[in-house]
């Protein structure tokens, strides 16, 4: 097991890529804390908890510094340390700049970028105390390219990529590795709830000819969380079915 004895937090861990990652981390021997506003996380944690690995749900608003600090403190109190953070929580958005309100812009930036800083900052504080760890941020193909009608999300995901690089070079000497995964469009509830015509247009943008399964993205997160990636620092790894290769 690649994560035996490790302690991980997964934000946005109740569904989609987050849920797939929680399940994989548990399978690989980690104790996992699910951080989400969706109370279904409590049901998932109960289903996944089994000796020797444990799964705990803590209701968390990732845009709230006090919530995140409580999340990390409770994790360390229960398990003694924090080894891994997967900062996965995020929302979708589709709006042209001239049609987007400042309030809607700020909401996307708060959830998709500022929350990454907050969770990274507080996890780093804990990891400095314990001697290191691995942080994985959830970026996107939008960390690399623009796309019509994703104004705030593209700005946020570009920010995630450069925040990842900056934190990585600042804390590598402390044994803290910071990287991101940058998925192509993935079959999460945000996507599967869309009309078939919309999904078919997304598929056409991926040379592989399909969208990703959440488990495929989770495999990349596991690589970055484990010692298999011990020399990977400050990377924003595309897992996009060829989307950005065109």
């Amino acid at each position: 097991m690649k994560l035996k004895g490790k302690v991980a937090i997964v934000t946005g861990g109740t569904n989609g890529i987050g849920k797939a990652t929680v399940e994989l981390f548990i399978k690989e021997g980690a104790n996992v804390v699910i951080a989400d506003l969706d109370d279904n996380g409590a049901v998932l944690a109960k289903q996944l908890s089994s000796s020797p690995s444990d799964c705990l749900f803590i209701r968390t608003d990732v845009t709230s510094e006090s919530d995140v600090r409580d999340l990390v403190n409770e994790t360390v109190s229960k398990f003694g340390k924090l080894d891994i953070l997967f900062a996965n929580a995020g929302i979708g958005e589709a709006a042209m700049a001239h049609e987007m309100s400042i309030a809607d812009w700020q909401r996307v930036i708060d959830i998709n970028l500022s929350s990454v800083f907050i969770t990274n900052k507080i996890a780093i504080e804990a990891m400095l105390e314990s001697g290191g760890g691995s942080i994985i941020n959830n970026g996107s193909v939008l960390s690399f390219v623009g796309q019509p009608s994703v104004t705030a999300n593209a700005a946020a995901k570009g920010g995630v990529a450069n925040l990842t690089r900056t934190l990585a070079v600042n804390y590598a000497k402390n044994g803290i590795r910071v990287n991101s995964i940058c998925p192509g469009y993935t079959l999460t509830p945000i996507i599967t709830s869309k009309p078939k015509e919309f999904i078919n247009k997304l598929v056409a943008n991926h040379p592989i000819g399909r969208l990703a399964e959440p488990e495929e993205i989770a495999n990349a997160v596991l690589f970055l969380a484990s010692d298999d990636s011990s020399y990977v620092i400050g990377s924003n790894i595309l897992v996009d079915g060829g989307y950005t290769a065109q």
Side-chain angles (χ1 to χ4, degrees):
M1 293 189 289
K2 293 180 182 293
L3 302 180
K4 186 175 181 180
K6 300 292 187 181
V7 177
I9 290 173
V10 177
T11 70
T14 299
N15 57 59
I17 294 169
K19 179 174 181 283
T21 301
V22 169
E23 292 171 340
L24 184 57
F25 279 9
I26 289 285
K27 180 181 176 182
E28 292 292 337
N31 295 307
V32 181
V33 177
I34 301 169
D36 208 308
L37 284 174
D38 185 347
D39 289 328
N40 287 328
V43 177
L44 178 62
K46 186 175 180 179
Q47 290 172 344
L48 294 176
S49 290
S50 62
S51 182
S53 295
D54 196 9
C55 189
L56 174 70
F57 171 70
I58 300 177
R59 194 175 193 276
T60 307
D61 176 356
V62 292
T63 68
S64 164
E65 180 181 356
S66 62
D67 267 25
V68 174
R69 195 166 293 284
D70 288 345
L71 165 69
V72 172
N73 287 343
E74 189 168 342
T75 299
V76 173
S77 177
K78 180 172 178 59
F79 296 112
K81 60 178 179 173
L82 174 62
D83 300 298
I84 300 161
L85 167 69
F86 179 32
N88 166 69
I91 59 173
E93 164 263 337
M96 297 288 283
H98 70 284
E99 298 172 336
M100 187 175 206
S101 71
I102 300 301
D104 286 344
W105 162 274
Q106 193 62 56
R107 177 171 177 264
V108 175
I109 296 298
D110 286 347
I111 296 172
N112 288 7
L113 177 58
S114 296
S115 76
V116 176
F117 169 73
I118 293 168
T119 53
N120 279 220
K121 167 187 163 55
I122 297 172
I124 286 168
E125 292 172 1
M127 290 175 181
L128 287 171
E129 291 290 327
S130 62
S134 177
I135 293 174
I136 307 99
N137 297 320
N138 197 347
S140 167
V141 290
L142 300 175
S143 298
F144 291 84
V145 297
Q147 184 182 303
S149 300
V150 287
T151 308
N153 199 19
K157 294 301 185 179
V160 167
N162 225 24
L163 176 63
T164 295
R165 295 185 187 100
T166 300
L167 296 179
V169 299
N170 283 337
Y171 294 101
K173 64 183 179 297
N174 302 107
I176 300 171
R177 296 188 299 106
V178 187
N179 296 285
S180 83
I181 50 110
C182 298
Y185 284 88
T186 305
L187 291 168
T188 65
I190 291 176
I191 299 299
T192 56
S193 63
K194 301 293 186 183
K196 186 175 181 180
E197 297 77 15
F198 176 84
I199 295 174
N200 288 340
K201 287 181 180 178
L202 291 181
V203 169
N205 289 329
H206 296 73
I208 199 172
R210 61 179 178 83
L211 303 187
E213 296 290 343
E215 292 75 15
E216 293 178 295
I217 310 303
N219 285 333
V221 180
L222 173 62
F223 168 70
L224 290 173
S226 74
D227 290 340
D228 288 348
S229 60
S230 57
Y231 203 64
V232 182
I233 291 174
S235 292
N236 296 292
I237 296 180
L238 286 157
V239 191
D240 70 348
Y243 186 104
T244 59
Q246 304 179 88

